[in-house]
């Protein structure tokens, strides 16, 4: 049989390796290193190996892709569970807040203390709660039923809040106090209340919240 140059090259390679005591190259190795010569001898030889390699790559890619997909699904599930836990905690917090808000509409956390408006004006300044209490000048309403009854008999309640403009007192210049006095007189005039203001009662922080007990101030 006639041996071509390409076949001779591969035969010489086998002889050379045998002379060195090395095994002949496998078909796969020959296809990788001497593809042109192998295709000349028989194109089907390397094509079969290519198909096997392609199949292996496809299988490995499928395994890797499947693993990545599983990881994505796992982390998505964990994230979803974490979101659900946060959502549930938020809903529970909102429910608790609403329950507390509803509860606060049904009861007083602390008795409502009020100062009669005409006496408030006579004082000439904001009076400390403990002074008002010890001189029995505060009207105390213990619950909402008392408040409702108080309003039903014709009493008016005005709420004021003030800033502390000094360390030793809330209103040393009486600036805020004077504005409150002006405001309650204006309210009485607009609403047609008795000018004596004996049926008008005022709630104001410094006079109606205990100052000696800090814990009560947070209610």
């Amino acid at each position: 049989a006639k041996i071509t140059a390409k076949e001779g090259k591969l035969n010489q390679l086998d002889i050379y390796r045998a002379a060195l005591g090395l095994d002949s190259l496998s078909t796969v190795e020959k296809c990788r290193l001497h593809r042109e010569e192998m295709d000349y001898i028989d194109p089907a030889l390397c094509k079969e190996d290519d198909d096997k390699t392609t199949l292996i790559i496809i299988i490995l890619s499928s395994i890797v892709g499947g693993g990545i997909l599983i990881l994505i699904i796992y982390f998505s599930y964990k994230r979803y569970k974490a979101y659900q836990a946060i959502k549930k905690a938020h809903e529970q917090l909102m429910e608790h807040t609403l329950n507390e808000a509803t509860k606060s509409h049904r009861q007083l956390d602390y008795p409502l203390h009020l100062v009669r408006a005409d006496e408030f004006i006579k004082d000439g300044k904001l009076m400390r709660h403990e002074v008002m209490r010890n001189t029995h000048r505060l009207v105390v309403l213990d619950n909402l039923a008392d408040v409702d009854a108080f309003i039903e008999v014709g009493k008016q309640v005005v709420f004021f809040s003030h800033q502390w403009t000094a360390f030793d007192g809330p209103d040393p210049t009486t600036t805020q106090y004077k504005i409150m006095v002006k405001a309650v007189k204006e309210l009485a005039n607009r609403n047609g209340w008795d000018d004596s203001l004996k049926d008008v009662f005022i709630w104001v922080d410094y006079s109606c919240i205990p100052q000696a007990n800090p814990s009560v101030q947070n209610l």
Side-chain angles (χ1 to χ4, degrees):
K2 183 179 179 181
I3 300 177
T4 65
K6 294 183 183 295
E7 292 175 305
K9 181 179 179 180
L10 293 176
N11 288 337
Q12 285 295 325
L13 179 62
D14 290 338
I15 293 171
Y16 177 71
R17 289 182 65 84
L20 294 175
L22 300 174
D23 295 332
S24 297
L25 292 176
S26 66
T27 301
V28 174
E29 292 173 321
K30 287 180 180 179
C31 286
R32 182 168 57 84
L33 298 172
H34 306 284
R35 180 62 181 261
E36 183 180 352
E37 289 80 2
M38 291 295 289
D39 283 344
Y40 180 82
I41 295 171
D42 186 354
L45 290 174
C46 292
K47 186 176 185 304
E48 183 179 352
D49 288 329
D50 288 343
D51 292 342
K52 290 180 180 178
T53 302
T54 302
L55 180 61
I56 291 173
I57 292 174
I58 292 173
I59 293 173
L60 290 176
S61 298
S62 299
I63 293 173
V64 172
I68 293 174
L69 180 60
I70 291 173
L71 285 175
I72 291 174
I73 293 173
Y74 172 76
F75 285 113
S76 296
Y77 175 75
K78 293 287 288 184
R79 186 173 181 179
Y80 171 76
K81 293 295 289 184
Y83 168 76
Q84 289 295 320
I86 293 172
K87 181 180 179 182
K88 184 177 181 180
H90 177 70
E91 290 174 349
Q92 290 175 340
L93 177 61
M94 290 298 295
E95 182 179 1
H96 175 73
T97 302
L98 288 173
N99 289 338
E100 288 298 313
T102 302
K103 181 180 176 181
S104 68
H105 282 292
R106 296 174 182 170
Q107 66 183 30
L108 296 176
D109 291 329
Y110 184 78
L112 182 65
H113 292 75
L114 302 171
V115 183
R116 210 168 73 183
D118 58 332
E119 294 183 358
F120 177 80
I121 294 173
K122 289 177 183 178
D123 287 331
K125 64 179 181 178
L126 293 176
M127 300 294 291
R128 186 181 175 92
H129 172 83
E130 285 72 19
V131 173
M132 300 293 289
R133 179 194 64 196
N134 294 341
T135 55
H136 308 290
R137 295 171 57 203
L138 291 172
V139 174
V140 181
L141 304 176
D142 293 309
N143 52 58
L144 289 179
D146 290 345
V147 175
D148 291 339
F150 191 72
I151 299 299
E152 286 177 2
V153 296
K155 308 300 182 183
Q156 309 296 334
V157 179
V158 179
F159 288 85
F160 288 120
S161 187
H162 58 77
Q163 293 181 324
W164 278 70
T165 57
F167 290 105
D168 56 350
D171 187 35
T173 62
T174 69
T175 300
Q176 297 180 86
Y177 168 80
K178 291 175 182 176
I179 293 174
M180 294 178 196
V181 169
K182 182 178 179 180
V184 75
K185 288 182 178 180
E186 180 63 25
L187 277 173
N189 182 55
R190 288 186 182 184
N191 291 286
W193 298 342
D194 187 348
D195 291 341
S196 69
L197 300 180
K198 291 183 178 180
D199 287 329
V200 179
F201 291 79
I202 292 173
W203 183 97
V204 61
D205 312 44
Y206 192 56
S207 300
C208 300
I209 296 178
Q211 302 299 307
N213 188 342
S215 63
V216 178
Q217 297 176 22
N218 293 324
L219 293 174

